[in-house]
Amino acid sequence: MLTRRKMMVNGAAAALALVTEEARAQGLHHRLICLDTHLDTPASLARPGWNIMQRHSGDLTQVDVPRMRQGGLDGGFWAIYTPQGPLTPKGMMAARDAALLRAAEIREMVAADPDTFELALVAEDAGRIAAKGKIIVYQSIENAYPLGEDVSRLRSFYALGVRMVGPVHFKVNQFGDSATDKPHWGGLSPAGRKLVALAGDLGVVLDASHSADSVFDDLIEQSRAPIMCSHSGCRAVHNHPRNLDDDRIKKLAAMGGTIQINSYNDYLIAVPPNPERAKLAGPLYARLENLSGMTPAEAAATVRQTAAAIRALDVKYPQPRAGFEDFMRHVTHALDLVGPDHVGVGCDWDGGGGVQGMEDVASLPRITERLVKLGYTQAQLANFWGGNALRVLKAAHKARKAA
Amino acid sequence: MLTRRKMMVNGAAAALALVTEEARAQGLHHRLICLDTHLDTPASLARPGWNIMQRHSGDLTQVDVPRMRQGGLDGGFWAIYTPQGPLTPKGMMAARDAALLRAAEIREMVAADPDTFELALVAEDAGRIAAKGKIIVYQSIENAYPLGEDVSRLRSFYALGVRMVGPVHFKVNQFGDSATDKPHWGGLSPAGRKLVALAGDLGVVLDASHSADSVFDDLIEQSRAPIMCSHSGCRAVHNHPRNLDDDRIKKLAAMGGTIQINSYNDYLIAVPPNPERAKLAGPLYARLENLSGMTPAEAAATVRQTAAAIRALDVKYPQPRAGFEDFMRHVTHALDLVGPDHVGVGCDWDGGGGVQGMEDVASLPRITERLVKLGYTQAQLANFWGGNALRVLKAAHKARKAA
């Protein structure tokens, strides 16, 4: 039988143990090399006056150096994202030019602060760069639309440092079907098959996020190396075409690949369609992509007004907001299904990601805390946070055709 | 009759007048916006460990920030130069990828030191940037070979900031004939005519340096705006195909264009062919283009060895070396022929330029001193040193097709 005093002592000890456990998990998190395999942050670089070295709030961004440091995020794949445009020569040319400029902007970010950033090209670079306390900058292509009808353009992006390519985005394009559009090709197109072959030759990782199931299957079959889903969830947790069903997650794992869990609201939980809201929200988000040519003051004002308009929209058309537990349900489902060597993190930061309780990269240590509590070991967490993605990158590099 | 004392006083006064005149010319030079329209310096950026912010000597470079400051060079057109390779899909692809990377490297140079450099896109940028004491970075393409069979690639380079393009280099390529190769097309090729049309649409200046006379004539005829010879000399001074004859210089001036005088030894004076030397020199200079992948120490050692080998070659196979007077003969001939509104400077620094007495950009004030002595006014020198090139750029921009 416990005396009142003993109970108090035990309570304090338990609280202390909790604090200690949390601190230990935090410490572990900051020791690991933590990568996110889908950072849409390069879009922020095109905002006039926006400086990644400064901490931001209220400007709808989620990644900058102070928040990366706080959240123990050591880097990842910085995406050259292109919205799907018309499948015309003109549309493809404009996309090509914008994507090349975006690649140059990523390199300029690194060049501007070489004590903070370093370009990474092979898997071994990550540890070397992290050991210097610098941020790891791999580059990836989200939507191969800018390659136009000339798959060889992937070589130009490779020369600029790109090491991962996802064939499609929201819509069908010249390379294959999208998870979120009516099927047209029934998988990869003939050009898509060429893209897969060239990525294999170069040692560029294939990214199946946004691909239709049919394209996923083609990628698994045709890739000469393991592939990645850089930002995807589990269909067993929430039935959305952007998520992977269990069979496909198992196939991905069986070939040595990895699913990097997304934190994009509408893929985590059921959100009833709201066409009225969508109609109003589209142009607001598009505004954020069209700030170039403005002065820094004009850009900042536009961002503030847009953020306010989006908040007003959330009030007028409230919609379910996923929380940290919703995100973790996808993480733990994948971990339970295929184990910690085939799961990681690709939260779609600055591309629509983030949940209540994990609003930006500063909150990432929460994931480690939870996984420590669930019994995952340091070695397992090292793979989850970076090792798996780097293994896939290394395998692609190894399987490449000698130049 | 002069006493000895009076003679001494007069001598001192004359000497003082000379010193004052020199100082005045120097002061004027440093006040003017001085541009060189053909800087091959971006090649230096690819040397591992090479830092443009430091002063260099003995490493075969001619341009860095300390020497630009000393020589009052405010910037110019930084060339994306591509050696002519095979006219095959593979050769063109490799050239495309290397040229895009070179453009990114120029932008990285600017991003790395934004207090020193600024990208310039339109003529008005030059004054604005110079007013801040920064170096003006226009970009140009020397040899359009990297555009391959797809002229629209010029749009990608335009997006990255390129505002001048020269169709050819030492050899015939897919766009036309070279000044220094057997004629193949008899002028511009069909692809070359497309290139001219697109450059006109975009407002990109056409650069006729390295073009065969036939291509020069086609450019004059087909360009919708005045053109430039970014680094060329006068055939009347030295009869070399890389130089322009008087009629063509007059045509260039009549359309509002400008010839920017080169300081490349073999185009300034007669140099007897020496195949033995050429055979040995080729691989030495090629070595300097292949330093990437080396450590900074390895690169520096390779440069030192190469420089020593070139000096040894100069001893074993001595050849005539042009001096400052030879360079000035081309300058003054052009000035006498078409006046100071159609002549400027494009010395081919870091691309083979430089003469005895003007070995690098630090010596540029000598040109102004001489031209002041010849009676050119401040306004004329302002045009010579920058105004003419900017006028051509402005005219091309104005004549472009509205997007």
Side-chain angles (χ1 to χ4, degrees):
Chain A
M1 191 182 151
L2 291 169
T3 63
R4 186 179 165 81
R5 189 180 155 78
K6 264 193 181 159
M7 278 173 73
M8 280 176 69
V9 168
N10 278 357
L16 190 67
L18 203 69
V19 169
T20 311
E21 196 180 288
E22 220 172 75
R24 203 176 289 147
Q26 289 256 0
L28 170 59
H29 180 84
H30 282 273
R31 278 196 308 281
L32 297 173
I33 296 179
C34 296
L35 302 177
D36 183 296
T37 49
H38 190 73
L39 298 168
D40 272 316
T41 309
S44 303
L45 302 174
R47 290 191 186 180
W50 196 87
N51 182 351
I52 197 164
M53 301 300 287
Q54 293 166 354
R55 179 181 292 269
H56 301 77
S57 68
D59 75 345
L60 303 169
T61 69
Q62 300 173 301
V63 181
D64 49 40
V65 171
R67 285 183 284 177
M68 290 183 81
R69 297 304 195 191
Q70 185 183 342
L73 183 61
D74 296 295
F77 283 82
W78 300 66
I80 299 162
Y81 158 65
T82 308
Q84 185 58 53
L87 294 172
T88 59
K90 200 178 164 185
M92 289 176 183
M93 269 189 334
R96 170 197 63 188
D97 300 344
L100 286 166
L101 183 59
R102 186 56 49 89
E105 286 167 348
I106 295 172
R107 294 179 65 105
E108 287 171 75
M109 171 188 81
V110 174
D113 287 287
D115 295 333
T116 301
F117 297 103
E118 192 170 327
L119 275 185
L121 301 172
V122 293
E124 292 72 17
D125 287 340
R128 190 178 53 72
I129 295 168
K132 292 187 272 187
K134 299 211 269 186
I135 289 171
I136 301 152
V137 182
Y138 291 106
Q139 291 173 72
S140 59
I141 287 177
E142 181 178 33
N143 194 5
Y145 170 54
L147 305 183
E149 304 285 4
D150 177 7
V151 164
S152 92
R153 279 184 207 155
L154 184 62
R155 293 178 185 275
S156 299
F157 286 97
Y158 183 88
L160 291 165
V162 166
R163 291 297 180 269
M164 179 156 66
V165 60
V168 295
H169 192 243
F170 284 154
K171 301 275 174 198
V172 164
N173 70 11
Q174 70 268 42
F175 297 114
D177 287 344
S178 161
T180 46
D181 198 5
K182 274 185 311 214
H184 172 79
W185 301 102
L188 286 167
S189 72
R193 288 191 284 276
K194 280 190 200 163
L195 175 61
V196 169
L198 180 56
D201 286 353
L202 293 170
V204 168
V205 173
L206 290 160
D207 178 2
S209 288
H210 285 290
S211 284
D213 287 346
S214 58
V215 169
F216 177 95
D217 295 342
D218 283 355
L219 291 175
I220 291 270
E221 195 188 301
Q222 291 172 34
S223 175
R224 67 164 80 176
I227 70 170
M228 193 189 294
C229 289
S230 73
H231 58 307
S232 289
C234 303
R235 213 173 284 180
V237 179
H238 172 54
N239 186 13
H240 190 287
R242 267 291 276 109
N243 295 330
L244 289 186
D245 60 43
D246 283 358
D247 273 358
R248 288 194 169 83
I249 298 175
K250 284 195 231 169
K251 269 187 200 155
L252 183 66
M255 87 179 312
T258 178
I259 177 171
Q260 308 283 109
I261 304 297
N262 200 344
S263 69
Y264 191 96
N265 192 68
D266 295 21
Y267 309 157
L268 294 177
I269 57 169
V271 177
N274 188 333
E276 251 180 292
R277 181 197 151 96
K279 208 175 141 186
L280 294 164
L284 287 176
Y285 285 102
R287 250 199 227 166
L288 297 174
E289 305 290 323
N290 290 297
L291 303 172
S292 73
M294 292 186 186
T295 65
E298 288 165 352
T302 304
V303 167
R304 268 196 310 275
Q305 289 154 9
T306 306
I310 289 169
R311 278 194 303 273
L313 214 58
D314 284 339
V315 171
K316 189 161 179 198
Y317 305 97
Q319 57 175 8
R321 264 298 266 135
F324 181 68
E325 296 305 327
D326 297 306
F327 169 72
M328 285 308 299
R329 256 192 288 283
H330 288 262
V331 173
T332 52
H333 178 81
L335 285 170
D336 292 345
L337 191 68
V338 292
D341 287 347
H342 304 286
V343 186
V345 169
C347 276
D348 215 351
W349 299 117
D350 293 326
V355 294
Q356 287 184 323
M358 191 177 75
E359 311 278 357
D360 60 19
V361 295
S363 313
L364 287 174
R366 285 198 73 178
I367 302 173
T368 301
E369 279 171 42
R370 174 63 56 87
L371 295 178
V372 166
K373 208 169 277 173
L374 291 173
Y376 288 97
T377 66
Q378 172 163 345
Q380 289 171 332
L381 286 166
N383 283 341
F384 173 84
W385 271 115
N388 299 337
L390 294 174
R391 182 192 67 231
V392 169
L393 180 61
K394 194 169 186 170
H397 186 66
K398 203 175 160 196
R400 81 193 187 283
K401 204 166 133 184
Chain B
M1 190 185 150
L2 291 170
T3 62
R4 187 181 161 79
R5 190 180 153 81
K6 265 194 180 157
M7 280 173 72
M8 279 176 67
V9 169
N10 279 357
L16 190 66
L18 202 68
V19 168
T20 311
E21 195 180 292
E22 220 172 76
R24 204 176 290 144
Q26 290 256 359
L28 170 59
H29 180 83
H30 282 275
R31 277 197 308 282
L32 297 173
I33 295 180
C34 296
L35 302 179
D36 182 297
T37 48
H38 190 73
L39 298 168
D40 272 317
T41 310
S44 303
L45 303 174
R47 290 190 185 181
W50 196 87
N51 183 353
I52 196 163
M53 301 300 287
Q54 293 167 355
R55 181 181 290 270
H56 301 78
S57 68
D59 73 346
L60 303 168
T61 69
Q62 301 173 302
V63 181
D64 48 41
V65 171
R67 285 184 284 177
M68 289 183 80
R69 298 303 194 191
Q70 186 183 343
L73 182 61
D74 296 295
F77 283 82
W78 301 66
I80 299 163
Y81 158 64
T82 308
Q84 186 57 54
L87 294 171
T88 59
K90 200 179 162 183
M92 290 176 184
M93 268 191 331
R96 170 198 64 187
D97 300 344
L100 286 166
L101 182 59
R102 185 56 49 89
E105 285 167 349
I106 295 171
R107 295 179 64 105
E108 288 170 75
M109 172 188 81
V110 174
D113 287 289
D115 296 333
T116 302
F117 297 104
E118 191 169 328
L119 276 185
L121 301 172
V122 293
E124 291 73 16
D125 287 340
R128 190 179 52 74
I129 295 168
K132 291 187 272 187
K134 299 211 267 187
I135 290 171
I136 300 153
V137 182
Y138 290 106
Q139 291 173 72
S140 59
I141 287 177
E142 181 179 33
N143 194 3
Y145 170 53
L147 305 183
E149 304 286 3
D150 177 7
V151 164
S152 93
R153 279 185 207 155
L154 183 62
R155 293 178 185 275
S156 299
F157 286 97
Y158 183 88
L160 290 165
V162 166
R163 293 295 181 269
M164 179 156 67
V165 61
V168 296
H169 191 243
F170 285 153
K171 301 275 174 197
V172 164
N173 69 11
Q174 69 270 40
F175 297 114
D177 287 344
S178 161
T180 46
D181 198 5
K182 275 184 312 214
H184 172 79
W185 302 102
L188 286 169
S189 71
R193 288 192 283 277
K194 279 190 203 165
L195 175 61
V196 169
L198 179 57
D201 285 353
L202 293 171
V204 168
V205 174
L206 290 159
D207 177 3
S209 288
H210 285 291
S211 283
D213 287 346
S214 58
V215 169
F216 176 95
D217 296 342
D218 283 354
L219 291 175
I220 291 270
E221 195 187 300
Q222 292 172 34
S223 176
R224 66 165 80 174
I227 70 169
M228 193 189 292
C229 289
S230 72
H231 58 305
S232 289
C234 303
R235 213 174 285 179
V237 180
H238 173 54
N239 185 13
H240 190 287
R242 266 292 275 111
N243 295 330
L244 289 186
D245 59 43
D246 283 358
D247 275 357
R248 288 195 169 83
I249 297 175
K250 284 195 231 167
K251 268 188 202 154
L252 182 67
M255 85 177 316
T258 179
I259 177 171
Q260 309 283 109
I261 305 297
N262 200 344
S263 69
Y264 191 98
N265 191 70
D266 295 23
Y267 310 156
L268 294 177
I269 59 170
V271 177
N274 188 332
E276 251 180 293
R277 182 199 151 96
K279 207 176 141 188
L280 294 164
L284 286 177
Y285 285 101
R287 250 198 228 167
L288 297 175
E289 305 290 323
N290 289 296
L291 303 173
S292 73
M294 292 186 186
T295 66
E298 287 165 353
T302 304
V303 167
R304 270 196 309 276
Q305 289 156 9
T306 306
I310 290 169
R311 278 194 303 273
L313 213 59
D314 285 338
V315 172
K316 190 163 179 197
Y317 305 97
Q319 57 175 7
R321 263 301 263 136
F324 180 69
E325 296 306 329
D326 296 306
F327 169 73
M328 285 308 299
R329 255 192 290 282
H330 288 262
V331 172
T332 52
H333 178 81
L335 285 169
D336 292 345
L337 191 68
V338 291
D341 287 346
H342 303 284
V343 187
V345 171
C347 276
D348 215 351
W349 298 119
D350 293 326
V355 294
Q356 287 184 323
M358 191 178 73
E359 312 278 357
D360 59 21
V361 293
S363 312
L364 288 174
R366 285 197 74 178
I367 302 173
T368 300
E369 279 171 42
R370 175 63 56 85
L371 294 179
V372 166
K373 208 170 277 171
L374 292 174
Y376 288 96
T377 66
Q378 173 163 344
Q380 288 172 331
L381 286 166
N383 284 342
F384 173 83
W385 272 115
N388 298 339
L390 294 174
R391 182 192 67 233
V392 170
L393 180 60
K394 195 170 185 169
H397 185 66
K398 202 175 161 195
R400 80 192 187 284
K401 203 165 132 184

